[in-house]
Amino acid sequence: MLRRIRLIALLAGLVLFPISAPADEEKRITLLLVNDHYTIDAVDGGKRGGIARLGTLLKQVRAADPQTLFLHAGDFISPSVESIFLRGEQMVGAYNALGLTAATFGNHEFDFGDAILRQRMKESRFAWVSSNVYDKATGQPFGGAVPWIVREVRGVKVGILGLTLPETSIMSSPSKQVEFRDPFDAGRQAVAELKKQGASVIVAVTHLEVATDEKLAREVPGITVILGGHEHEPIRREAGRVLILKAGSDARLLGEVVLTVENGGRVTGRRDRLIPVDSEVREDAEMAALRDSYLNRFRRELDQPLARTAVPLDARTGIVRTRETNLGNMIADIMRARTGADIALMNGGGIRGNRLIPAGTLTRGDVFNVLPFPNVIVAVKLIGKELARTLENGLSKLPDPDGRFLQVSGLTLRFDPKAPAGSRTREIKVGGQPLDPDKTYVVAVNDYMASGKEGFDELARAPQVLGAESGPPLSSSVVEWLEKTGSVSPAIEGRITPDD
């Protein structure tokens, strides 16, 4: 993985526009990018990432170019173990100290609801820029964000706009007062306004899927560079003459784009790279002290042992979103036992951490790494045919790893992965008996699923036996169960079986 990151970092800067103007007529603009950054601490066993290393690199870049613009393409308020306790306060504090220029909303900024996000925005010493996320009540960008900004760098006006996935309305937890407008219409409007204000370089900071970024580059003329987020792998593409750059996740890489602009405002050159944020980068002392001040607030509790696992627990993203896993089975079993339901369903997207937890001691921190969202367990009533449609929705995006894929308890499911979406199930048994399409079953899910997110419409319509206002917290339920059990050895049991 490290070799791969370094190779990407080396290759990323090879494309340059020809420079036609004399050097004394040219202006340099440096842009830095981070996206999908969930923890202030280092990741990958301490080998990569961390705000202390990021602080060192930022100082180095700014020493070479004090007018550098530092931008964040969204997803940092949530999810993480730290944010379970601090609701993103630590991330805003870190980026205040790092001197962030501006951020746009990622889908996870809304995980704790409107009020918490508004509070984090009030604490921010950087700008929030959003061209397509609006408050329906005021008709203005959400929470005091601005639709676009202009920064002057060496006499060149740089326009910055921000765009967020419209699907955030169903992927996260914004209220119905938050409006996610079409990013293409919003992008066109922002570009037109920025040009009126004299911007000759326009940077789109986006939290969109890369295919949408490519379409944006093609269909919204005037954008110079797209600095994006949402995908967790580093991505570098070009659509025409527009660079699309994403720096992966958790600050393992720092994206850098350096533009050369002639006096008339025309971009004449460009170089870009992804700078490794790894163990070869020393930690900045001030940022390390800030990190420790936040981590010490809850590390003592997180480090407490809960139980022992005799087997590794699989929380890898590509696994929990495509197939049965031992960890998914354990979580679903706890949900079913906690509520006394017939069945439990857990969306793979709610299981985070993206790692194989080794056999041995499990701590509170392990649980909150795997279940960082503030979900509660809800129980609903579904008749058999509604349950079948719910299971079909869970299978609908395969073979792609999608958050709606279900980990299950109390049932077994056999399916044909080659069949069209919507008609993939071949056999469903509940408690060892064939599914009765007219029988009512009590199904435990989390409140995110119960609200109809990820296409779980049947769950949103279902009568509730246990509502979100009184349901037990999911992560706490797992902690309590592990404390009582003491040792676990979950296995893959053939609950979800694809046909050959």
Side-chain angles (χ1 to χ4, degrees):
M1 179 65 178
L2 181 58
R3 290 180 63 190
R4 177 183 171 198
I5 286 175
R6 287 192 175 281
L7 180 60
I8 292 170
L10 289 169
L11 294 179
L14 295 180
V15 175
L16 290 172
F17 291 143
I19 298 176
S20 57
D24 60 354
E25 296 180 8
E26 294 172 341
K27 312 293 178 65
R28 180 182 61 184
I29 298 169
T30 304
L31 308 170
L32 296 179
L33 165 70
V34 172
N35 58 275
D36 298 82
H37 184 194
Y38 302 110
T39 174
I40 56 176
D41 208 357
V43 296
D44 300 339
K47 295 177 182 177
R48 286 180 279 277
I51 61 170
R53 291 173 180 146
L54 197 58
T56 295
L57 289 175
L58 285 165
K59 285 182 178 179
Q60 291 174 354
V61 174
R62 286 170 174 148
D65 186 353
Q67 297 188 53
T68 293
L69 300 178
F70 179 29
L71 303 169
H72 200 297
D75 271 12
F76 60 106
I77 300 299
S78 168
S80 71
V81 180
E82 299 133 31
S83 288
I84 283 287
F85 296 93
L86 299 178
R87 297 295 194 263
E89 175 191 340
Q90 79 286 3
M91 300 307 295
V92 168
Y95 277 104
N96 283 341
L98 289 168
L100 187 67
T101 303
T104 200
F105 301 119
N107 51 291
H108 285 300
E109 264 59 78
F110 290 90
D111 282 351
F112 300 119
D114 296 5
I116 293 295
L117 178 53
R118 288 180 188 275
Q119 179 60 35
R120 297 290 86 87
M121 293 174 73
K122 288 179 182 178
E123 296 165 2
S124 303
R125 296 200 297 267
F126 50 86
W128 288 83
V129 56
S130 179
S131 309
N132 75 319
V133 182
Y134 278 72
D135 186 331
K136 292 179 182 177
T138 64
Q140 298 298 313
F142 176 86
V146 293
W148 43 75
I149 57 178
V150 176
R151 293 287 186 269
E152 189 165 311
V153 179
R154 298 184 176 90
V156 177
K157 289 187 176 180
V158 180
I160 303 169
L161 62 96
L163 297 169
T164 301
L165 284 159
E167 293 84 359
T168 298
S169 61
I170 61 171
M171 296 170 69
S172 189
S173 302
S175 75
K176 293 182 179 179
Q177 286 299 113
V178 184
E179 178 184 6
F180 295 85
R181 297 180 178 178
D182 179 82
F184 301 100
D185 291 342
R188 292 184 190 97
Q189 181 182 358
V191 168
E193 183 61 34
L194 287 168
K195 285 184 174 181
K196 286 181 184 178
Q197 294 184 27
S200 54
V201 171
I202 296 179
V203 181
V205 184
T206 70
H207 199 84
L208 304 168
E209 294 179 345
V210 68
T212 308
D213 284 318
E214 291 177 321
K215 185 177 179 182
L216 185 75
R218 292 192 301 268
E219 297 189 5
V220 182
I223 295 174
T224 310
V225 176
I226 295 175
L227 300 180
H230 193 54
E231 282 89 358
H232 288 189
E233 294 296 323
I235 294 174
R236 183 192 186 282
R237 296 187 186 175
E238 293 189 61
R241 294 174 71 86
V242 179
L243 170 69
I244 301 168
L245 189 68
K246 306 194 183 200
S249 64
D250 281 321
R252 292 176 173 89
L253 297 165
L254 175 65
E256 181 188 58
V257 180
V258 180
L259 302 174
T260 307
V261 184
E262 65 181 13
N263 278 337
R266 187 170 69 92
V267 176
T268 56
R270 184 189 72 217
R271 64 176 176 84
D272 57 274
R273 59 175 176 157
L274 292 167
I275 306 169
V277 185
D278 59 19
S279 56
E280 294 184 14
V281 179
R282 65 173 179 81
E283 291 192 344
D284 177 76
E286 293 178 0
M287 293 307 300
L290 180 64
R291 172 201 63 203
D292 292 344
S293 71
Y294 284 118
L295 293 180
N296 289 339
R297 287 171 58 177
F298 54 85
R299 183 175 279 158
R300 189 172 302 163
E301 180 179 347
L302 293 180
D303 286 343
Q304 292 182 20
L306 290 174
R308 291 189 63 80
T309 174
V311 296
L313 303 178
D314 201 340
R316 290 174 293 180
T317 299
I319 307 299
V320 296
R321 298 185 182 204
T322 57
R323 69 195 74 172
E324 175 188 353
T325 71
N326 63 348
L327 178 61
N329 286 349
M330 186 182 81
I331 293 170
D333 285 347
I334 294 170
M335 294 169 66
R336 185 161 67 100
R338 186 70 172 79
T339 58
D342 302 309
I343 297 160
L345 307 176
M346 176 67 191
N347 60 314
I351 301 174
R352 312 296 279 205
N354 192 23
R355 68 188 182 111
L356 197 64
I357 302 170
T361 300
L362 292 173
T363 67
R364 281 181 171 81
D366 289 323
V367 174
F368 287 114
N369 263 306
V370 167
L371 298 171
F373 299 111
N375 293 129
V376 299
I377 305 174
V378 172
V380 301
K381 290 183 177 180
L382 292 178
I383 61 173
K385 54 191 169 186
E386 295 169 337
L387 175 60
R389 288 194 289 267
T390 299
L391 295 172
E392 282 284 359
N393 179 60
L395 300 169
S396 63
K397 298 297 184 179
L398 289 174
D400 293 335
D402 190 85
R404 74 189 64 200
F405 183 85
L406 294 170
Q407 303 291 326
V408 305
S409 176
L411 65 81
T412 58
L413 167 66
R414 185 171 57 82
F415 71 99
D416 181 358
K418 297 178 182 178
S423 59
R424 289 178 167 172
T425 55
R426 292 295 175 262
E427 182 183 62
I428 303 169
K429 289 186 177 181
V430 178
Q433 300 299 314
L435 179 74
D436 184 338
D438 298 314
K439 181 178 178 179
T440 297
Y441 299 94
V442 177
V443 183
V445 297
N446 61 56
D447 57 331
Y448 174 84
M449 297 168 63
S451 66
K453 303 294 173 66
E454 304 280 17
F456 289 111
D457 299 334
E458 299 290 349
L459 298 179
R461 291 191 289 263
Q464 294 189 347
V465 179
L466 178 66
E469 68 283 352
S470 54
L474 174 57
S475 54
S476 298
S477 296
V478 174
V479 166
E480 292 169 7
W481 186 86
L482 287 170
E483 283 181 317
K484 291 178 182 178
T485 304
S487 62
V488 296
S489 184
I492 295 172
E493 303 172 349
R495 299 182 186 186
I496 307 170
T497 308
D499 286 342
D500 294 333

